[in-house]
Amino acid sequence: LRKIVIAIDGYSACGKSSTAKEVASILGYRYIDSGAMYRAVTFYFMDHHVALTNPKEVARALEQIHISFKVNPKNGTDTFLNGLNVEKEIRKMRVSEMVSQVSTIKHVRTAMVDQQRRMGKERGIVMDGRDIGTVVFPTAELKLFMKADMQVRAFRRQKELLERGQLVDLDDVVENIRQRDEIDTTRAESPLRKADDAVEVDTTHIAFDEQVDEVIRMALARI
Ligand code: C5P
């Protein structure tokens, strides 16, 4: 069986990660959460007070950043920044509120895309993000573009945060998702958009299992 690359892009909180994780586990593929990488960079920048408008400072900081993932039997994958597990930190609202701004920086994107391409070299990978089908893996065998109604997205994200022990107001979640969508779709460097050959999936009304089955069906047709 040949191994393929599955690229899942879409708006914030549409269920990209949960779908990608499950599909990867069924196929025995590697799952890479590219958003976690941008979140880890953001966390580092905040922690080290990196001036986002100073290209030299940004470049120097990027050289100090090493991101890796480790499979965790409980919740999928943990993100490591310079050997430290930052999974919990990078999901916090303070990082969510900064990450899209950091992700507009060209140098940040180049560094992340390079690493993502290296990770996908062996294929057999499911990667989710905003520019995976358009920029990172334009030749991916299966590309999905996910969307869902705002209310549904916000509820799901709020529940997810609660499960991680964070109580966040629904209005704040909506506001954060809206802001990230706005920045992600309008930035100059690889903005979020559907690749021409991506299959659009609206997750508002479909049950999770059904959604995963559909993706597996599409993947098997391409293997
Ligand atoms: O996927 P997640 O919502 O965790 O991503 C956080 C943020 O990282 C996004 O809102 C976006 O600004 C940025 N991102 C990106 N390109 C990717 C993945 C994430 O710009 N491939």
Side-chain angles (χ1 to χ4, degrees), residues 8-14 16-17 31 33-39 42 90-91 95-96 98-104 108-109 112-113 116 127-133 136 157 176-177 179-181 183-185 187 189-192:
I8 304 184
D9 289 305
Y11 298 97
S12 295
C14 285
K16 298 186 299 295
S17 305
Y31 162 59
D33 176 354
S34 73
M37 299 171 69
Y38 289 94
R39 285 173 180 272
T42 303
I90 63 169
R91 306 294 164 188
V95 172
S96 297
M98 274 299 293
V99 63
S100 287
Q101 203 54 50
V102 172
S103 304
T104 62
V108 169
R109 304 210 66 82
M112 293 305 107
V113 170
Q116 288 151 10
M127 194 178 288
D128 77 320
R130 304 293 185 289
D131 60 342
I132 312 305
V136 183
R157 181 48 52 95
N176 176 250
I177 295 176
Q179 252 173 32
R180 286 201 284 140
D181 280 356
I183 301 174
D184 294 346
T185 49
R187 69 186 176 213
E189 288 301 320
S190 42
L192 167 66

Side-chain angles (χ1 to χ4, degrees), residues 22-209:
E22 189 62 17
V23 167
S25 138
I26 292 171
L27 294 174
Y29 279 17
R30 203 165 163 220
Y31 162 59
I32 302 289
D33 176 354
S34 73
M37 299 171 69
Y38 289 94
R39 285 173 180 272
V41 169
T42 303
F43 176 67
Y44 183 96
F45 281 14
M46 290 171 84
D47 210 28
H48 291 79
H49 308 285
V50 175
L52 302 185
T53 49
N54 183 336
K56 269 199 192 131
E57 240 183 77
V58 167
R60 224 181 351 237
L62 283 169
E63 277 169 24
Q64 305 301 317
I65 293 179
H66 178 77
I67 299 166
S68 58
F69 295 103
K70 220 187 249 161
V71 178
N72 164 345
K74 242 178 47 206
N75 65 353
T77 315
D78 282 337
T79 311
F80 284 76
L81 170 66
N82 298 335
L84 216 73
N85 187 341
V86 292
E87 187 57 36
K88 217 171 157 186
E89 287 301 327
I90 63 169
R91 306 294 164 188
K92 291 193 174 157
M93 281 302 273
R94 60 189 280 266
V95 172
S96 297
E97 279 159 7
M98 274 299 293
V99 63
S100 287
Q101 203 54 50
V102 172
S103 304
T104 62
I105 303 170
K106 187 179 177 156
H107 203 115
V108 169
R109 304 210 66 82
T110 321
M112 293 305 107
V113 170
D114 278 355
Q115 191 177 345
Q116 288 151 10
R117 289 194 179 136
R118 278 200 298 278
M119 290 172 170
K121 243 192 166 143
E122 327 251 291
R123 313 190 75 72
I125 192 172
V126 185
M127 194 178 288
D128 77 320
R130 304 293 185 289
D131 60 342
I132 312 305
T134 50
V135 175
V136 183
F137 297 120
T139 62
E141 285 83 357
L142 177 58
K143 296 180 187 176
L144 301 175
F145 190 83
M146 294 180 54
K147 57 182 208 173
D149 286 356
M150 178 55 92
Q151 235 17 51
V152 171
R153 293 158 67 194
F155 270 130
R156 285 184 192 153
R157 181 48 52 95
Q158 190 192 36
K159 186 165 163 266
E160 206 174 272
L161 286 167
L162 201 60
E163 281 160 9
R164 290 174 181 271
Q166 293 180 61
L167 183 59
V168 183
D169 205 64
L170 191 66
D171 290 345
D172 292 341
V173 179
V174 170
E175 186 49 29
N176 176 250
I177 295 176
R178 233 190 262 290
Q179 252 173 32
R180 286 201 284 140
D181 280 356
E182 170 71 18
I183 301 174
D184 294 346
T185 49
T186 56
R187 69 186 176 213
E189 288 301 320
S190 42
L192 167 66
R193 64 169 188 84
K194 179 186 164 299
D196 294 335
D197 52 350
V199 180
E200 195 169 288
V201 182
D202 188 327
T203 69
T204 311
H205 301 294
I206 14 174
F208 180 68
D209 291 350

